[in-house]
Amino acid sequence: MRRRLSAFGAGLAVIGFSAALLAPTGTAVADPSASAENTVTAFSLAVDDTQDLTVTVEGAAIEPVERGSFEVYVKPKPKPKPKPQTASTGSGAAAVRHGRSTPVAAARSSG
């Protein structure tokens, strides 16, 4: 009884594996559906946009390709507003103008 059950299971496995192997082959051989012909793909768009090159003894005759046009508008960058300048006290600039050194410059030169 046990051997018969194992043989029956093995037979079902063989039938299942055979069906799994042959099913994709059947779909590949079947007629394609009519809607597949109307499908627009990247490849079909590229094929429609190819350029015809005819080379003769005189040279290559290239026919122009008609393509759609487009327009690009680049928005100009706004000019930055000038920053208001703060009024300086004049102590640092006056010390350098008259040849005197500031305390920070004196500390750097002595160290």
Side-chain angles (χ1 to χ4, degrees), residues 5-21:
L5 189 59
S6 297
F8 179 73
L12 283 178
V14 167
I15 292 171
F17 283 127
S18 299
L21 288 172

Side-chain angles (χ1 to χ4, degrees), residues 11 14 19 36 47-48 51 55 59 65 68 74 78-79 85 87 100 109:
V14 167
V47 167
D48 291 341
Q51 204 170 10
V55 180
V65 176
V74 179
K79 293 182 180 178
Q85 295 179 354
R100 292 185 229 145
S109 62

Side-chain angles (χ1 to χ4, degrees), residues 2-4 9 26 49 52 59 70 72 74-76 82 89 92 102 106:
R2 196 174 202 179
R3 288 186 181 178
R4 287 183 186 170
D49 199 29
D52 185 26
F70 60 93
V72 177
V74 179
K75 183 178 178 181
T89 57
T102 60

Side-chain angles (χ1 to χ4, degrees), residues 28-54:
V29 175
D31 291 331
S33 62
S35 64
E37 295 174 6
N38 298 333
T39 304
V40 177
T41 62
F43 180 76
S44 66
L45 290 174
V47 167
D48 291 341
D49 199 29
T50 56
Q51 204 170 10
D52 185 26
L53 298 177
T54 306

